[in-house]
Amino acid sequence: MWHTRKQKRQRRLSARLLKFFLLPLFATILFALLNTSYSAQVWNRVHNSVPEAQEQQRKDEEELQKPALPPPPPPPPHFNKYVNTFIGTGGQGHTYPGATVPFGMVQLSPDNGNEGWAYSSGYHYNASTIIGFSHTHLSGTGIGDLLDISVQPTLSPINSTSLKEFWDLDLRQSFNHSNEVAEPGYYSVFMDHGVQVELTATERTGMHRYTFYPPSATKKPICSYRFRSF
């Protein structure tokens, strides 16, 4: 009986010891360990960040000490604006205003459709009509030749039942020089019958773009080989 009471007192004492001493002690040790680990991480972070900041500061100082780069060169001037491709198309200059490139195989330019020595290049500034846009021209020769593969856009169907009727068709359309633009490698004209013509060329090809007004108009580009200026 006495032994049983003694055991009970020992158990209560052990429980109190565990509750009031060992558990707080364990919690204190765990907190200290965690705090130490966190402090070590903070220390390492701060310790490592100092050299990184110093290295970045050194790089910034080196960048500031470098000589300033010279300003970029100005863009090349656009000499095209000083070129007037209509020079020589009047009088007896015998030149054409169309699109070509140096040593190109194609000289894409308008033709007036008039015969005579003044029109040996296919175009004369005094004319007010265009019969087509052909792919080969001579400039300044004083004698007519070439004017091959001529294209003329129209807004109405071509009603011809024979080749002779087609050759006899007058496909000339009027235009105004105020609606004409020419510069190296490019030619454009808005013709009076409502077709915007744009021409350009590469070394071996000529490219056409025709815009028809109104858009609902019948589009009939005609390819003609019949006109020569000589």
Side-chain angles (χ1 to χ4, degrees), residues 42-56:
V42 173
W43 167 255
N44 291 333
R45 194 178 304 163
V46 174
H47 180 72
N48 294 332
S49 64
V50 171
E52 292 178 359
Q54 293 176 349
E55 180 66 18
Q56 185 62 39

Side-chain angles (χ1 to χ4, degrees), residues 35-113:
N35 188 35
T36 302
S37 176
Y38 177 75
S39 299
Q41 292 179 3
V42 173
W43 167 255
N44 291 333
R45 194 178 304 163
V46 174
H47 180 72
N48 294 332
S49 64
V50 171
E52 292 178 359
Q54 293 176 349
E55 180 66 18
Q56 185 62 39
Q57 182 179 2
R58 184 185 64 80
K59 291 182 179 179
D60 294 340
E61 292 176 353
E62 290 180 354
E63 289 294 331
L64 292 175
Q65 293 175 359
K66 289 182 179 179
L69 295 176
H78 296 283
F79 293 112
N80 283 1
K81 64 181 180 180
Y82 301 110
V83 180
N84 183 359
T85 58
F86 289 108
I87 294 177
T89 59
Q92 300 302 329
H94 305 291
T95 63
Y96 60 90
T100 188
V101 298
F103 308 106
M105 295 175 60
V106 174
Q107 307 84 36
L108 190 53
S109 188
D111 303 318
N112 299 130

